[in-house]
Amino acid sequence: MTAQAQAEPGEAAVSGPGTMTFREAIRLALREEMARDEQVFVMGEEVGLFDGSYKVTSGLMDEFGPDRVRDTPISEEAFVGAGIGAAMIGERPVVEIMTLNFLLVAMDQVVNHAAKVGAMFGGEVRVPMVIRTPNGAGNQLTAQHSQSFDGWFAGTPGLKVLAPANPADARSLLKAAIRDDDPVLFIENLPIYKEKGEVDPGDDSIGEIGLAAIAREGSDLSIVSHSFATVRSLQAAEILEREHGYSVEVVDLRSLRPLDVATVADSVVKTNRALCVEEGWPSFGVTSEIAARIQKACFDDLDAPVERVGMAEVPLPYAKPLELAAMPGTDRIVAAAIATLEGAR
Amino acid sequence: MSESVTTEEPPVGTEERLSHYRSMVLSREFETAAERQYKAAKIGGYCHLSSGQEATSVGTVAGLDQDDYLVTGYRCHGFALARGVSAKAAMAELFGREDGCAHGRGGSMHLLDVEKKFYGGWGIVAGQLPIATGIALGIVRQGRSQAVLCELGEGAVNMGAWHESLNLAALWDLPVVFLVVNNSYGMGTSVDRASAEPEIFRRAAAHRMHGERVDGNDLDEVIEASRRLLDRARLDRRPAVIEAVTYRYRGHSVADAGLAYRSKEEIADWSEGRDPIARQRLRLQESGVTVEDLEAIEDEARSEVEAAVEHAAASAEPSVDQLAHGMYAPGSAAQFERMRPGSPFGEEALTFDAGLGA
Ligand SMILES: Cc1ncc(C[n+]2csc(CCOP(=O)(O)OP(=O)(O)O)c2C)c(N)n1
C-alpha cells in the first residue's frame, strides 16, 4: 500500500493475480461467510437490485437471493434495530449503512440498544451483528455527507469497532467480525474502496480483533492511524524518508475498540516521538484517546509532545479549495511530523 | 389518479401562466446546464437533477404567498428557482463560488435564500421534516398568518421523522403542507419495493390529516391543489399531505446513469408522452398564446441560464482563510481563545482563525 496504489486509475485494469481492491476484498469476505453460514445475511439500502451504492455487494443478490441480500426502505433506525433483534435469536446480520453519516439516524439503536444488550441483561443474551459503513470525505459531498465519527462509537462500551486500512485486513477482519458474538461496527471508507493490495484467496484465516499492525517500520517517529488515515500516513512516511531523510514507523490500529495499546506503546518507546492521525475531527476524537494512552504508557520515553492531525474542525464546506484545506492531507501530516521531529513548536 | 377536482377555467390569468411556463423552462434549462457543467468538472459533489418534475416544483411554489416558507430536500434546484432565487446565485453555488446563495459552502444540495424564505436544501433523507414542522410551530407562536411547504421524496416517508412530524403537525394544528414528490424511485428502489402503502397520500389518514394525490405533471392541477391546501394551512392552521406523481428523467444524481433499475421505454413513456413542459406549452397554445411568444420565453430562459453559468465561472472562489465562516455566531471567536494553546493538531491558525464568527 504505497503512494502509487492510490494514484492508479481504474481498479479493474490492475487487479493481477493475488491483487484485489478493498471493495473486492470486502465482497469476498461476505461471499465466503454467507456460503459458510446460512445464518449470515445482508441488508441495507440498495444492496441488492442496485448492486450496492458503492458496489461492494455487487452480484451478491444474484448469488444468494433476495432473502439473504435484502433491500430495505430508507429506514435506518428500523433496519439497524431489526438487525439487533434478529441477532438476539441467533441470526448473523450484516447491515450495510450507505455512509456513516446516516448511521446517526440509527444512533439510538446502536448506542442505547445494541451496545447495551450483553451487560444490561447480565450476559444472558448476545448480539452477533455487524454494521458495515464507509466514512470519509474528499469528493465535495459537503457538511452532512463528509463525516468520520469513528471516535464516538469507539468510545461506547459494548461495541467493538474495526477500521482496517488494506484489502487483506479488510477481508480477514470482516470475517472475524461476522463470526464474533458481539455487535461490531466495521468502518470502511469511500476513497479506500479503490485501494489495492495482496490478498491470497486460498488463505481464509480470520483476523484477530484487538491487534494493531506495524504497517511500516521506522526508528525516528511513530505515526499512529487507522483506516484511510493509514494510507495517507504511509504516503507521508515515504515522503519523509525520501525528501527529509527520516525513518518513520506507521502503526495501523485496525481495531479501535478493543485498542491495542501495547503495540502503540512498544513503537513509541522505540522511536520516542508520536504523531496521531485520523480522518475525523481530532478534538475528543480517536487521536485524543491515543495521545492520552501514549503519555501514560510512554511518559519517560517521549522526546516531544504527542502531535495530532485530523480534519479541520469545521462542518466540511463544499468549495473545492476549502475542502482541500480542511482535509488531513499528506502535506499536513508531513508538516506535523517535521514539527514533532525537529521540535519546531 | 387525481382525487381532486380540476376546475374548468384556467385557474390563473395568462400573465401568470406565462410566468409559470417560463419558470418551468428555466428549471429544465438550468438542470441541463448543471449536468453539462458537472461533466466538465466545474461542479462536484452530489448533483441531483429534477428534469421532468417541473410542474410539481413550479406548481406547488405557486401556491405560496410571498410571506410563506419553503423547505426542501437535496433535489432543490427547481424549487429554489421557482421561489425566485436567481439562476446566477444558484449556479454560482453549484460552482462553489463566493457569489453562491450559500457562499459556496453548501453546493447543489444546500441552496437557500433567507430573503425568499427558502430555508434549505437538506441532505439527510427526511431530516427537513421536523425542521419544517418547527418553522410552522414558530409561525403559530408568533401569531402570524403564514404557511410552510415542505418538500420530500417518496422514499422519505419510511423514516421515523416522517411519522413523528406528521403527528406533531396534526396534534398541534400547525400550518405546514408536506409535499411528497413521488417520482417512482428512491435511488434504485421503486415505490412498491419500499412502501407497504404505496399510495403515499393515504398515510396522512393515520394522523387524521388531509391527504390527496395530484398528477404532478399537470401544472394547473398542481397549482389548484397546492393553493387550496396552503390556504387552508395558512388560514385554518390545518396541515396536509399532497402527493405529486411525477418522474425524474435523469439518474438519482449525475453520477447515476439511471438505467440499471428501470427501462428506457419507461423513461420515454414519461419524457415523450407526459412531459409537463410540453403539456403546458400545448395548453398555452390552445388558449391563444402564439408560438413566437412561447419561443421568446424559451430563449429568454436559455439566455438567463447561459448568463448564470458565465457569472458563476467568473465569480471568486471562497478564500481558504475563511474556512470556518458562518460556523458560529459573530462574537464567538473570543469564546474559543482559550482552546488554542497547545492546539489540538498543531495548526491553530487554520482551525480557529479562519473566519470563526469574528
Ligand atoms: C438518512 C439517509 N439515508 C440515506 C441517504 C442516501 N440517499 C440520498 S437520496 C436517497 C433516495 C431518496 O429517495 P426519495 O426520497 O424518493 O427522493 P428522490 O431522490 O427521488 O428525490 C438516499 C437513499 C440519505 N441521504 N439519508
Side-chain angles (χ1 to χ4, degrees), chain B residues 23 77 81 92-93 99 141 145 165 186 194 205 224 242 272 288 304 318 333:
Chain B
S23 185
H77 307 167
L81 295 171
E93 190 56 40
D99 288 343
R141 289 195 22 86
S145 184
S165 300
E224 187 282 323
I242 172 168
E272 286 159 27
E304 185 173 341

Side-chain angles (χ1 to χ4, degrees), chain B residues 12 29 140 166 242 350:
Chain B
V12 281
E29 292 293 334
V140 169
L166 260 65
I242 172 168
L350 191 58

Side-chain angles (χ1 to χ4, degrees), chain A residues 45 74 76 98 102 105 145, chain B residues 74-75 123-125 153-156 159 183 185-187 252:
Chain A
E45 291 155 21
I74 312 171
E76 284 86 357
M98 204 174 280
F102 312 140
V105 172
H145 288 82
Chain B
Y74 46 83
R75 201 178 297 283
I124 302 299
V125 168
E154 89 291 333
M159 295 290 284
N183 60 11
Y185 295 90
M187 289 188 71
H252 170 68

Side-chain angles (χ1 to χ4, degrees), chain A residues 45-46 53 73-76 79 97-99 101-103 105 144-145, chain B residues 46 48-49 53 74-75 109 122-127 151-157 159 181-189 191 248 252-253:
Chain A
E45 291 155 21
E46 310 293 343
S53 299
I74 312 171
S75 306
E76 284 86 357
F79 68 79
I97 298 288
M98 204 174 280
T99 73
N101 305 282
F102 312 140
L103 190 54
V105 172
Q144 295 186 311
H145 288 82
Chain B
Y46 290 134
H48 307 89
L49 306 179
Q53 304 181 180
Y74 46 83
R75 201 178 297 283
M109 295 189 286
W122 300 83
I124 302 299
V125 168
E151 182 268 353
L152 58 138
E154 89 291 333
V157 304
M159 295 290 284
V181 179
N182 184 347
N183 60 11
S184 307
Y185 295 90
M187 289 188 71
T189 304
V191 185
R248 82 167 141 70
H252 170 68
S253 71

Side-chain angles (χ1 to χ4, degrees), chain A residues 46 71 75 144 308 318 332, chain B residues 46 94 123 158 189 193 345:
Chain A
E46 310 293 343
D71 278 325
S75 306
Q144 295 186 311
R308 297 192 277 156
Y318 167 73
R332 289 178 53 205
Chain B
Y46 290 134
L94 269 59
N158 300 310
T189 304
R193 293 182 69 236
F345 54 123

Side-chain angles (χ1 to χ4, degrees), chain B residues 117-200:
Chain B
K117 293 196 162 61
F118 168 36
Y119 275 70
W122 300 83
I124 302 299
V125 168
Q128 74 274 31
L129 274 77
I131 289 166
T133 305
I135 292 176
L137 173 62
I139 290 171
V140 169
R141 289 195 22 86
Q142 293 168 9
R144 297 172 194 270
S145 184
Q146 294 166 312
V148 185
L149 177 67
C150 177
E151 182 268 353
L152 58 138
E154 89 291 333
V157 304
N158 300 310
M159 295 290 284
W162 152 271
H163 299 280
E164 296 180 25
S165 300
L166 260 65
N167 184 57
L168 264 195
L171 188 70
W172 290 347
D173 301 320
L174 302 179
V176 53
V177 173
F178 298 98
L179 163 66
V180 181
V181 179
N182 184 347
N183 60 11
S184 307
Y185 295 90
M187 289 188 71
T189 304
S190 58
V191 185
D192 54 308
R193 293 182 69 236
S195 276
E197 173 51 274
E199 294 180 324
I200 310 295

